[in-house]
Amino acid sequence: MYVVNIDDLDGTDRDVRSETWRSRRMVLAKEGVGFSFHETTIYAGTTSTFHYQNHYEAVYCVAGRGTLTSEETGESWELRDGTLYLLDEHDRHTVRAEEELRLICTFNPPVTGREVHDENGVYPLVTEA
């Protein structure tokens, strides 16, 4: 059994930050369960564009308010507590946080924690040895 408290990740290599977001990676590829699980905070008043060419991601909003926009279609959706979105077609998307957003995210294949967003917001496919 594996048990972790989110506060125990603060300041570790599982606590990843950028100018517009913070992601604490609770489950990574090294846990060997076929997915990764993260709590991500998108800071109020910021805009972030992502594109996961190598991963599927499900995102569940548990706090805050913002907007999700598909960069392919221009379609937008409100993000608020109780909203889930699934990036099932490697969708390029933008998140605008009107209020701080607290998001629970799962990735398949799982991320290792060593990925870094490139200039297009893409994570490379990194696997555990």
Side-chain angles (χ1 to χ4, degrees):
M1 183 176 297
Y2 170 82
V3 178
V4 65
N5 183 283
I6 193 78
D7 295 332
D8 296 336
L9 304 178
D10 292 352
T12 71
D13 61 351
R14 290 179 182 241
D15 184 5
V16 180
R17 299 170 188 240
S18 83
E19 291 182 19
T20 61
W21 54 265
R22 175 187 189 189
S23 179
R24 291 185 284 179
R25 283 84 187 272
M26 300 182 82
V27 175
L28 291 171
K30 67 175 110 184
E31 274 73 63
V33 294
F35 65 92
S36 58
F37 184 91
H38 314 182
E39 179 197 63
T40 299
T41 301
I42 308 281
Y43 304 129
T46 65
T47 300
S48 302
T49 299
F50 305 103
H51 183 200
Y52 301 113
Q53 292 176 327
N54 302 303
H55 300 85
Y56 295 104
E57 182 187 24
V59 178
Y60 184 66
C61 180
V62 296
R65 185 168 299 277
T67 305
L68 168 70
T69 302
S70 166
E71 293 301 315
E72 275 77 29
T73 68
E75 191 172 5
S76 291
W77 300 267
E78 179 185 18
L79 292 176
R80 60 184 172 84
D81 182 21
T83 303
L84 178 131
Y85 63 91
L86 177 64
L87 302 169
D88 58 345
E89 296 181 0
H90 307 290
D91 313 82
R92 183 173 168 78
H93 60 289
T94 298
V95 176
R96 289 176 183 80
E98 297 160 26
E99 302 170 2
E100 184 174 273
L101 288 164
R102 184 170 165 240
L103 308 171
I104 305 302
C105 313
T106 59
F107 281 85
N108 185 8
V111 301
T112 64
R114 298 185 310 273
E115 295 82 0
V116 176
H117 288 277
D118 69 13
E119 67 279 358
N120 298 309
V122 175
Y123 276 156
L125 183 59
V126 178
T127 58
E128 288 295 326

